[in-house]
């Protein structure tokens, strides 16, 4: 299993697979062809269907500047095509001087068919939660965060501290911002309103819901507005983990050093899911993004509450199990509806999953490895319309309504 550094990437939204990944690919291609006087990029699959809404064409042109770049949206498909595939071509004096096919596989990561130089090294010998748990019991390791330090080295804490500080800033920036998000849907920012709304009753449960939701909205709205966020595990699901961590830090007076222990545990869940299933909405639907984020958050909470390894696993399993089948149907291809709201709902569900793991862990029948495989099987069998193409579900119904109104 690879480093948890692959799960947490600091960058600009709104999409890790549709903006971060293509930006990285364009930088690589431009570097390899310094004599080019023209570029062409063909986008396929989900990149074609929702590329404009996600800003794929914009980020490609900006990255390849000042060289003129033609963006082509192609409906062509072939057997075995990854849903986030793009073809780069470089030209000089009218002749093609280089090509590159790239797959944006989720979380900002890339794959070039037939090449392995982009692959990060394997850090963990274990590749399933069962293997992680067995190793920890064998070595008398009580916490996943200690297992992370053993494999990644103490320098991992500096990395996670940087990640956490960016997460906190994205919450603060989101809570301070007002106005309308770009893209044409006229979605109003709601984080500040949620945070400041005062209820006449002193209701602790409502205040918990209000704060966690406000934090999740704040980060997700920053992402939708092309702000700086941290993938956890993706841009579209970036608000879940920061929201619950900020809430538990404030209510339990935890230090930043304690909080990043939760980040470490969450990173293992994200890495396992990425390896054994997918974190790509275009590949497995929103269950792969929001479902994974919810599992990461639930596991982090369990670690910070001092629960044992079985309870950490159960929290992650419950969180994922109740996102199985969740489709990815962003209206107009924007990471706004239903994406922002889903971050808040998933953050609250992570709290519930952690609480259930505390009460009911001894009665469980399902492992995290099992639910992870189920998510992958469910995702690859979802109709393509429900995997980040904006051709099904809410996106299709909204489009019909708009067309009828016109």
């Amino acid at each position: 299993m690879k480093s948890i550094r692959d799960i947490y990437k600091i960058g600009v939204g709104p999409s890790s697979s549709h903006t971060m990944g293509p930006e990285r690919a364009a930088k690589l291609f431009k570097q390899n062809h310094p004599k080019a006087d023209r570029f062409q990029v063909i986008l396929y699959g989900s990149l074609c269907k929702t590329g404009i809404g996600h800003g794929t064409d914009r980020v490609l042109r900006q990255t390849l500047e000042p060289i003129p770049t033609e963006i082509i949206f192609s409906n062509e498909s072939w057997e075995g095509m990854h849903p986030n595939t793009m073809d780069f071509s470089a030209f000089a004096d009218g002749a093609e001087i280089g090509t590159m096919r790239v797959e944006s596989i989720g979380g900002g990561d890339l794959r070039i068919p037939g090449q392995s130089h982009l692959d990060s090294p394997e850090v963990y010998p274990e590749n399933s939660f069962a293997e992680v748990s067995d190793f920890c019991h064998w070595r008398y390791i009580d916490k996943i965060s200690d297992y992370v330090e053993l494999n990644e080295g103490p320098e991992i804490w500096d990395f996670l501290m940087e990640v956490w500080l960016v997460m906190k800033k994205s919450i603060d920036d989101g809570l301070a911002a007002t106005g309308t998000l770009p893209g044409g849907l006229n979605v109003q920012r709601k984080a500040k309103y949620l945070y400041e709304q005062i209820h006449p009753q002193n209701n602790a449960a409502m205040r918990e819901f209000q704060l966690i939701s406000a934090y999740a909205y704040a980060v997700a709205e920053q992402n939708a507005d092309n702000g700086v966020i941290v993938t956890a595990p993706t841009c579209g699901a970036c608000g879940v983990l920061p929201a619950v961590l900020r809430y538990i830090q404030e209510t339990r007076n935890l230090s930043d050093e304690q909080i990043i222990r939760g980040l470490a545990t969450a990173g293992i869940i994200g890495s396992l899911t990425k390896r054994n299933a997918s974190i790509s909405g275009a590949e497995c639907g929103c269950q792969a993004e929001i479902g994974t984020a919810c599992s990461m958050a639930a596991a982090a909470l369990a670690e910070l509450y001092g629960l044992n390894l079985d309870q950490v696993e159960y929290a992650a399993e419950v969180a994922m199990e109740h996102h199985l089948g969740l489709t990815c149907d962003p209206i107009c291809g924007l990471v706004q509806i239903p994406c922002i709201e889903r971050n808040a709902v998933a953050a609250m569900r992570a709290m519930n999953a952690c609480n259930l793991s505390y009460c009911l862990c001894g009665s469980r029948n399902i492992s995290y490895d099992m639910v992870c495989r189920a998510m992958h099987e469910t995702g690859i069998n979802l109709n393509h319309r429900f995997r980040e193409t904006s051709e099904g579900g809410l996106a299709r119904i909204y489009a019909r309504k708009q067309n009828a109104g016109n």
Side-chain angles (χ1 to χ4, degrees):
M1 181 170 59
K2 299 184 186 302
S3 170
I4 63 173
R5 295 171 186 264
D6 279 5
I7 290 295
Y8 300 121
K9 294 184 178 68
I10 298 170
V12 175
S15 171
S16 48
S17 59
H18 287 61
T19 50
M20 281 189 181
E23 179 183 28
R24 183 183 170 199
K27 286 179 178 178
L28 177 64
F29 192 68
K30 184 179 182 180
Q31 177 183 339
N32 291 340
H33 298 89
K35 296 182 179 180
D37 56 29
R38 182 171 69 89
F39 291 119
Q40 180 188 82
V41 187
I42 305 177
L43 304 176
Y44 304 96
S46 177
L47 290 176
C48 166
K49 303 294 184 181
T50 63
I52 293 178
H54 285 75
T56 308
D57 55 335
R58 170 184 53 81
V59 76
L60 286 171
R61 288 193 177 94
Q62 288 177 349
T63 306
L64 295 170
E65 286 179 346
I67 309 302
T69 300
E70 179 187 16
I71 309 295
I72 298 175
F73 297 88
S74 173
N75 289 313
E76 180 186 357
S77 63
W78 54 88
E79 185 177 354
M81 182 189 81
H82 189 278
N84 287 331
T85 297
M86 49 193 151
D87 282 337
F88 287 82
S89 297
F91 301 86
D93 298 324
E96 186 176 77
I97 60 173
T99 63
M100 181 176 72
R101 172 162 289 175
V102 185
E103 298 169 351
S104 183
I105 59 177
D109 286 342
L110 303 175
R111 181 169 59 217
I112 299 178
Q115 298 184 29
S116 60
H117 69 280
L118 293 177
D119 292 343
S120 54
E122 299 285 324
V123 172
Y124 299 88
E126 293 74 33
N127 290 310
S128 68
F129 197 95
E131 291 177 357
V132 171
S133 181
D134 286 346
F135 177 82
C136 288
H137 284 118
W138 175 62
R139 287 289 303 269
Y140 299 100
I141 296 173
D142 296 326
K143 294 183 176 297
I144 296 292
S145 57
D146 291 333
Y147 166 78
V148 169
E149 183 177 15
L150 177 68
N151 286 276
E152 303 258 10
E155 59 272 16
I156 192 64
W157 301 122
D158 290 336
F159 168 77
L160 291 176
M161 184 61 74
E162 181 186 9
V163 164
W164 176 232
L165 293 177
V166 173
M167 285 181 169
K168 288 202 295 184
K169 188 175 188 307
S170 66
I171 292 175
D172 292 337
D173 290 347
L175 289 176
T178 58
T180 303
L181 295 174
L185 282 179
N186 296 317
V187 173
Q188 297 293 314
R189 282 179 173 263
K190 302 178 180 69
K192 182 178 175 67
Y193 171 77
L194 271 171
Y195 184 75
E196 295 178 346
Q197 190 175 16
I198 299 175
H199 296 275
Q201 299 88 4
N202 186 18
N203 187 319
M206 177 58 75
R207 185 58 180 163
E208 176 182 274
F209 161 79
Q210 187 177 340
L211 288 175
I212 293 173
S213 297
Y215 298 154
Y217 263 82
V219 181
E221 287 172 352
Q222 284 297 100
N223 176 64
D225 204 11
N226 306 315
V228 177
I229 50 82
V230 180
T231 60
T234 64
C235 289
C238 64
V240 181
L241 184 56
V244 298
L245 292 180
R246 175 71 166 260
Y247 178 77
I248 191 175
Q249 180 173 48
E250 293 177 344
T251 56
R252 297 222 165 192
N253 296 317
L254 300 181
S255 66
D256 287 340
E257 287 74 19
Q258 289 172 300
I259 288 295
I260 62 176
R261 290 271 171 177
L263 274 178
T265 298
I268 289 296
I269 296 299
S271 294
L272 286 171
T273 310
K274 186 175 182 177
R275 184 194 186 280
N276 297 317
S278 176
I279 59 169
S280 168
E283 193 170 19
C284 285
C286 198
Q287 58 173 358
E289 297 196 40
I290 285 290
T292 303
C294 188
S295 289
M296 291 170 64
L301 287 168
E303 162 97 15
L304 295 172
Y305 282 139
L307 305 190
N308 62 41
L309 290 178
D310 287 344
Q311 290 170 314
V312 169
E313 180 187 6
Y314 190 32
E317 180 269 310
V318 170
M320 178 62 78
E321 183 177 349
H322 297 287
H323 280 95
L324 291 178
L326 186 63
T327 60
C328 183
D329 51 353
I331 290 177
C332 297
L334 299 168
V335 191
Q336 296 180 20
I337 303 174
C339 317
I340 295 173
E341 190 174 89
R342 282 181 178 172
N343 277 262
V345 172
M348 290 304 303
R349 186 169 288 183
M351 299 290 293
N352 295 334
C354 180
N355 291 336
L356 278 175
S357 75
Y358 173 76
C359 299
L360 301 175
C361 183
S363 65
R364 70 187 180 99
N365 297 313
I366 306 297
S367 69
Y368 187 74
D369 296 330
M370 191 182 302
V371 79
C372 191
R373 290 195 298 271
M375 185 270 279
H376 187 238
E377 180 183 0
T378 302
I380 62 177
N381 284 289
L382 280 175
N383 186 288
H384 74 277
R385 292 183 179 86
F386 300 100
R387 287 185 279 144
E388 209 168 356
T389 62
S390 290
E391 294 180 331
L394 288 174
R396 183 184 69 85
I397 292 172
Y398 183 88
R400 286 185 64 199
K401 174 184 175 183
Q402 293 300 102
N403 291 335
N406 293 335

